[in-house]
Amino acid sequence: MVGVVRRALGRRSATRTVTAVLAVAAALRLIYGPPHLGYDAWFALDWGNDIAHLRMPDFTASIAPTPHPLANVVSAALSALGDAAPTAVATVSVLSLAGLVVAVGTLGRRLFGTAAAIVAVGLLVTRPLLVMEALYCSVDIPFLALVAAASCTLVRDPSRHARVLAPLVLAGLLRPEGWLLAAVYAAWRWATDRSARRMGLVALVLAAPALWMAFDGIVTGDALHSLHGTRDLADELDRPRGEGTALAVAPGYLKAIVGEPVAWVGAAAGLAAVWLALDRAAVPLALLALGIAAFVVLGLASLPLLYRYLLLSGLGLMLLCGYGASAWARDGPARRRVPLALLAVGVLAAIGASAPSDVRRLHGVVAGASLRHRIEVGLQHVVREPAVRAAWAACREAQVPQHRPSPELAYLLDAPLRDVTVPGATSAGRGLLLQPTPGPIASSFVLTPASPPTFSTAQLARATRIATTDTWQAFRAC
């Protein structure tokens, strides 16, 4: 990641780039606290651990998320750290957000100037949903960082095909939107540069989808497992789908991502950029448009439609807000200065008007992440209890009240995912049983709102309590 960002930033030395990313990461960690691994991140760590030990990962486990090849490969490397691997994954997430900040700052400065870069970065690090994804260790954050790195190279020297496409190939191993971005760039270069090595462009564009399908095919025998599995999971969890739904929810999702006032002024700035600075605003306008296009394609494919799938468009809007705040000083003759100055006032007013709400939401995001980090660390501690280890050695089966803790427990026990199950609602639990402490802690640690936070009386009927901490309870039923 650092190497890709270093190349994308062009003239910055490796030392300056690494220093900038580390400094931003330290500041973000200080402000927002420790990340916690989300459900998807724990599955990636389980699958990476299997890969590292030359075991076939179980992509078909119950309620398994979409397997992202790059996340699994990185997790395979980090799994060598054992109990420290979760902390390493969390560190990668913070560094990815820091890399995104540095790349967006550089991109905004190159496109529209320093003032625009400051506005874009300020928005980036204060969007509650984006901060939440970073604290959740979502693959969307490194995906955005790689896209921003590719955009920096594109703006500095669009003829450097390999340097633009390399981060997009990596991004395409995290999110399929990377495939679209790579294809659009290659098509543009194909049309505008007769000297371009067209077969090389095609090979790089096809690399990410080919590797993804090969990964799925080797593991499951179905090269389209990610498509089929994601579609089935969306149906099981009753997530929104369909092209009509995509068009209906996209505006609301964008407002949720960047804030409603910011979304409106970002759209206004985008219109002004089309009129006055299309050449310089082409990249953020493309991110906005292609993000929406990819979202509609997901709807057409009956794949789930989650707000985070529009983060790419949200990034484009933030960059356009930077343009709107600074265009009055750069674009157009004197007669346009007044409307552009009004646009700048509107951008700053929108940011100011939404600031109190953003601060409240950020407090909620940080508090929620802190609680879930505490629960996550608590499970690591209770699993190390001698009585719990003895119960696991005797039972060789573990159960949890719902699926949210299952991938984490499987990793901590170094057990196959199939050995950590959820008992039936009326059947007695068996093996090693672990549940979050009943009350607010258990209620905050569920996969879906309908998930039971703790075991029922019937499920604990034959169990004996063997360990209790402030966040977890352990029982033995074997």
Side-chain angles (χ1 to χ4, degrees):
M1 169 69 76
V2 171
V4 171
V5 174
R6 176 184 61 80
R7 288 191 296 273
L9 295 180
R11 295 180 182 176
R12 290 194 178 201
S13 67
T15 300
R16 289 183 63 192
T17 301
V18 171
T19 300
V21 171
L22 291 178
V24 173
L28 292 171
R29 175 64 174 79
L30 181 65
I31 294 169
Y32 292 126
H36 65 99
L37 273 63
Y39 186 73
D40 292 20
W42 275 111
F43 260 99
L45 199 51
D46 276 313
W47 290 330
N49 191 43
D50 287 337
I51 294 169
H53 289 86
L54 303 181
R55 301 189 297 256
M56 196 65 76
D58 185 5
F59 288 174
T60 61
S62 180
I63 317 293
T66 305
H68 304 95
L70 183 58
N72 294 336
V73 170
V74 171
S75 294
L78 296 180
S79 68
L81 299 174
D83 289 346
T87 301
V89 172
T91 301
V92 169
S93 186
V94 176
L95 289 172
S96 295
L97 182 58
L100 175 60
V101 168
V102 172
V104 167
T106 303
L107 181 60
R109 177 176 54 80
R110 287 181 178 171
L111 291 173
F112 308 126
T114 301
I118 292 172
V119 170
V121 167
L123 286 171
L124 179 70
V125 298
T126 57
R127 298 308 89 193
L129 291 181
L130 195 144
V131 171
M132 183 174 70
E133 292 299 322
L135 294 177
Y136 192 72
C137 297
S138 166
V139 298
D140 294 275
I141 302 304
F143 167 75
L144 290 176
L146 289 164
V147 170
S151 300
C152 285
T153 299
L154 174 61
V155 169
R156 182 171 182 266
D157 187 355
S159 66
R160 303 299 294 268
H161 306 149
R163 288 195 175 187
V164 174
L165 285 172
L168 291 180
V169 170
L170 294 176
L173 295 173
L174 293 172
R175 292 285 317 154
E177 291 88 343
W179 311 350
L180 176 61
L181 295 174
V184 169
Y185 167 77
W188 174 64
R189 292 306 301 165
W190 189 312
T192 59
D193 184 0
R194 294 178 179 272
S195 66
R197 297 181 179 180
R198 296 184 173 182
M199 292 309 298
L201 288 173
V202 171
L204 285 170
V205 168
L206 296 179
L211 288 170
W212 196 313
M213 287 188 286
F215 206 71
D216 279 1
I218 292 170
V219 173
T220 69
D222 177 11
L224 298 178
H225 166 77
S226 291
L227 173 65
H228 299 150
T230 303
R231 187 182 288 161
D232 292 343
L233 184 60
D235 184 57
E236 186 173 353
L237 298 179
D238 196 26
R239 286 174 167 169
R241 291 181 293 168
E243 65 275 14
T245 302
L247 294 171
V249 303
Y253 282 1
L254 282 173
K255 292 175 186 176
I257 290 169
V258 300
E260 183 167 1
V262 175
W264 283 113
V265 295
L271 292 175
V274 170
W275 180 31
L276 298 173
L278 182 58
D279 56 339
R280 288 185 291 116
V283 169
L285 287 169
L287 295 178
L288 173 61
L290 293 175
I292 294 173
F295 191 71
V296 173
V297 170
L298 293 177
L300 288 169
S302 293
L303 292 170
L305 299 169
L306 307 180
Y307 76 83
R308 60 189 180 89
Y309 300 161
L310 276 173
L311 285 173
L312 185 64
S313 293
L315 182 61
L317 274 177
M318 287 181 253
L319 285 164
L320 290 170
C321 283
Y323 168 77
S326 61
W328 65 274
R330 300 186 60 176
D331 290 333
R335 68 178 183 275
R336 293 175 182 166
R337 291 288 177 85
V338 172
L340 289 177
L342 292 175
L343 175 60
V345 171
V347 170
L348 298 178
I351 293 173
S354 61
S357 173
D358 291 336
V359 170
R360 287 193 298 271
R361 292 172 64 198
L362 282 170
H363 277 304
V365 166
V366 171
S370 177
L371 176 59
R372 283 184 286 276
H373 177 262
R374 177 184 162 206
I375 297 170
E376 180 179 274
V377 172
L379 182 55
Q380 296 172 38
H381 288 165
V382 77
V383 165
R384 298 190 191 108
E385 291 282 340
V388 173
R389 301 304 298 186
W392 168 245
C395 303
R396 303 308 300 179
E397 180 180 8
Q399 291 190 327
V400 288
Q402 44 92 26
H403 288 281
R404 174 65 180 85
S406 60
E408 179 178 359
L409 183 57
Y411 181 81
L412 296 175
L413 293 174
D414 194 21
L417 285 162
R418 63 177 178 274
D419 287 349
V420 180
T421 60
V422 176
T426 60
S427 60
R430 61 182 185 274
L432 171 64
L433 310 179
L434 287 116
Q435 69 175 14
T437 301
I441 287 177
S443 298
S444 70
F445 203 67
V446 293
L447 183 60
T448 67
S451 301
T454 58
F455 291 114
S456 66
T457 302
Q459 291 168 332
L460 293 177
R462 301 177 184 174
T464 302
R465 184 177 299 185
I466 55 175
T468 300
T469 69
D470 60 336
T471 54
W472 285 90
Q473 297 175 342
F475 304 84
R476 178 170 175 168
C478 67

